[in-house]
């Protein structure tokens, strides 16, 4: 545990505090005027006090990881050992705050569990389709086409998940953005061209509301295009029949404001703060198209933040949702220039 800062407390034989450093004061949420006072009067946690008494009774070192009663969100590692000099004897307490480490470990476990679940679903579908073909469905043209289509769809889903995980890994490692200068109006026009067929197939009208000539932007063009396509795709998939999606953009000072507006199912207020969390998905039964990974919006936010921008959401259930992106025209982050 050498990478963590350790707080130190020295107690005399009667358990009065003879020395305490600033780290221990902070970790144990104590005031600075505890010198000379009994530690039992300040540290209100049964496990902590049991460790002290155990060491006092056995004269042996004791240690334990505890969740203190005064702050159940904290995780502490406490080690207590007796010490003796020519003039005095007492006990040394070493306290280490493991809260951030345990929280990170919990997030990692949850992430692995979510990834495993997301991989298992398409793999199961592919396996079942392949087994059905082996058992004779391949001789029935209608069933053969159905199962082959299922395999293709689930393989695409796996590919999308793996690609999104790779993007997340790169962003977490603070991958260098490839900054170039470009006209965002042209980029938005390209997105509309790419997504229009997808919108038509889903009975959605895609509306462009921006000037093709906008101020030149310095950013990672591919990543920004990825953001706009992701949001537009979501707006199409989560829309109502014969709905509309509007992609608008306009300069506002040093920033470009981009809005993706849909007339779809909307997002409940309780979910709005969670939609950028990894693997979070709103009620899938409310979407006309399923199969998302729950990673897209997390990636969108990470890319926007990496560019020094912001993203916000306005939504009303059964009315629609608007994603509002603000991106600086000039990139001031120390990134690689193309």
């Amino acid at each position: 545990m050498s990478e963590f800062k350790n707080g130190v407390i020295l107690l005399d034989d009667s358990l009065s505090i003879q020395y305490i450093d600033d780290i221990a004061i902070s970790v144990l949420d104590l005031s600075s005027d505890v010198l000379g006072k009994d530690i039992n009067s300040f540290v209100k946690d049964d496990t902590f006090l049991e460790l002290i008494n155990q060491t006092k009774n056995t004269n042996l070192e004791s240690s334990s990881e505890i969740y203190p009663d005064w702050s159940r969100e904290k995780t502490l590692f406490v080690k207590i050992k007796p010490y003796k000099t020519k003039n005095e004897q007492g006990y040394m307490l070493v306290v280490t705050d493991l809260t951030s480490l345990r929280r990170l470990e919990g997030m990692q476990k949850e992430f692995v569990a979510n990834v495993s679940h997301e991989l298992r679903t398409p793999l199961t579908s592919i396996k079942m389709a392949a087994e059905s073909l082996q058992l004779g469905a391949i001789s029935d043209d209608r069933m053969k086409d159905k199962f082959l289509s299922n395999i293709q769809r689930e393989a695409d889903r796996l590919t999308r998940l793996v690609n999104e995980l790779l993007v997340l890994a790169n962003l977490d490692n603070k991958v260098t953005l490839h900054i170039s200068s470009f006209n965002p109006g042209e980029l938005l026009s390209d997105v509309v061209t790419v997504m229009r067929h997808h919108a038509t197939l889903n009975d959605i009208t895609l509306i462009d509301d921006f000037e093709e000539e906008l101020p030149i932007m310095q950013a990672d063009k591919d990543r920004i295009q990825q953001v706009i396509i992701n949001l537009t795709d979501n707006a199409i998939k989560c829309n109502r029949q014969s709905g509309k999606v509007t992609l608008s953009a306009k300069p506002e000072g040093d920033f470009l404001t981009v809005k993706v507006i849909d007339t779809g199912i909307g997002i409940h207020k309780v979910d709005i703060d969670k939609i950028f969390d990894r693997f979070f998905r709103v009620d899938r039964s409310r979407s006309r198209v399923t199969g998302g990974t729950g990673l897209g919006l997390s990636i969108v936010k990470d890319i926007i933040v990496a560019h020094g921008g912001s993203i916000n959401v306005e939504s009303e259930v059964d009315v629609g949702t608007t994603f509002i992106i603000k991106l600086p025209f000039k990139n001031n982050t120390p990134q690689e220039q193309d």
Side-chain angles (χ1 to χ4, degrees):
M1 296 181 184
S2 58
E3 66 269 28
F4 297 95
K5 292 182 178 180
N6 299 316
V8 177
I9 305 173
L10 297 181
L11 307 176
D12 64 16
D13 197 43
S14 64
L15 303 185
S16 294
I17 299 174
Q18 302 303 302
Y19 170 82
I20 183 168
D21 64 14
D22 291 339
I23 296 174
I25 288 174
S26 174
V27 169
L28 298 178
D29 297 332
L30 299 177
S31 61
S32 56
D33 60 348
V34 295
L35 288 178
K37 298 178 181 178
D38 191 332
I39 193 170
N40 290 279
S41 304
F42 297 95
V43 180
K44 303 295 184 181
D45 181 82
D46 291 341
T47 305
F48 194 101
L49 298 177
E50 285 173 7
L51 282 175
I52 296 176
N53 290 326
Q54 179 179 328
T55 298
K56 185 174 183 181
N57 293 334
T58 63
N59 207 38
L60 297 174
E61 179 180 309
S62 302
S63 63
S64 180
E65 190 169 302
I66 68 172
Y67 305 91
D69 291 336
W70 70 84
S71 178
R72 303 302 291 180
E73 295 180 355
K74 276 190 175 183
T75 304
L76 306 179
F77 182 79
V78 182
K79 181 166 64 176
I80 305 170
K81 59 182 179 181
Y83 74 90
K84 189 173 183 179
T85 66
K86 288 184 178 180
N87 301 320
E88 60 181 1
Q89 65 179 25
Y91 308 95
M92 174 185 289
L93 280 69
V94 180
V95 186
T96 309
D97 190 346
L98 300 182
T99 305
S100 59
L101 174 64
R102 296 293 177 253
R103 185 180 296 121
L104 178 60
E105 289 176 345
M107 291 171 63
Q108 289 175 330
K109 289 178 181 178
E110 182 181 5
F111 185 80
V112 170
N114 282 328
V115 170
S116 300
H117 174 76
E118 293 295 336
L119 289 172
R120 187 182 300 116
T121 301
L123 286 172
T124 300
S125 297
I126 291 172
K127 185 174 183 292
M128 291 176 63
E131 288 175 349
S132 297
L133 290 170
Q134 288 178 328
L135 292 172
I138 196 168
S139 61
D140 183 323
D141 287 342
R142 187 178 65 84
M143 297 302 295
K144 178 182 69 174
D145 290 343
K146 176 183 177 182
F147 286 121
L148 288 175
S149 177
N150 287 346
I151 290 173
Q152 181 65 53
R153 184 183 66 250
E154 297 302 333
D156 289 342
R157 184 178 174 186
L158 280 173
T159 301
R160 186 166 62 251
L161 173 61
V162 171
N163 287 339
E164 289 180 342
L165 289 172
L166 289 173
V167 172
L168 281 177
N170 285 334
L171 289 170
D172 285 344
N173 291 329
K174 294 182 173 55
V175 66
T176 300
L177 296 176
H178 298 284
I179 304 300
S180 63
S181 298
F182 59 92
N183 175 8
E186 293 179 358
L187 181 149
L188 294 170
S189 295
D190 289 343
V191 170
V192 171
T193 300
V194 169
M195 301 302 294
R196 197 176 293 283
H197 179 64
H198 178 46
T200 301
L201 288 177
N202 285 274
D203 191 26
I204 301 298
T205 301
L206 181 57
I207 303 169
D208 54 282
D209 181 21
F210 52 84
E211 299 291 335
E212 288 199 16
E213 292 299 325
L214 290 169
I216 297 299
M217 172 175 285
Q218 294 179 353
D220 188 323
K221 184 177 180 179
D222 290 340
R223 289 281 173 84
I224 298 302
Q225 186 174 51
Q226 179 185 1
V227 164
I228 306 303
I229 287 178
N230 186 294
L231 293 177
T232 305
D233 181 53
N234 283 348
I236 292 170
K237 291 191 298 186
C238 295
N239 218 311
R240 65 182 76 251
Q241 189 172 4
S242 301
K244 297 179 180 179
V245 172
T246 302
L247 180 56
S248 74
K250 63 178 181 179
E252 294 183 342
D254 295 330
F255 288 81
L256 176 70
T257 298
V258 179
K259 295 183 180 181
V260 181
I261 308 163
D262 68 57
T263 58
I265 60 178
I267 305 168
H268 289 281
K269 289 183 179 179
V270 68
D271 290 332
I272 286 181
D273 290 339
K274 306 174 188 175
I275 62 173
F276 294 109
D277 293 347
R278 293 174 185 178
F279 293 104
F280 178 80
R281 283 177 287 185
V282 295
D283 185 1
R284 290 178 61 180
S285 65
R286 298 179 60 81
S287 174
R288 296 192 296 130
V289 181
T290 59
T293 62
L295 289 172
L297 289 178
S298 174
I299 292 172
V300 162
K301 184 174 182 179
D302 286 345
I303 291 173
I304 295 298
V305 171
H307 281 83
S310 64
I311 181 168
N312 294 292
V313 187
E314 296 175 355
S315 187
E316 185 175 346
V317 173
D318 295 327
V319 174
T321 301
T322 300
F323 282 86
I324 306 167
I325 299 170
K326 290 186 179 294
L327 284 167
F329 282 110
K330 185 175 181 180
N331 189 285
N332 294 316
T333 56
Q335 306 290 352
E336 181 177 310
Q337 299 285 331
D338 282 350

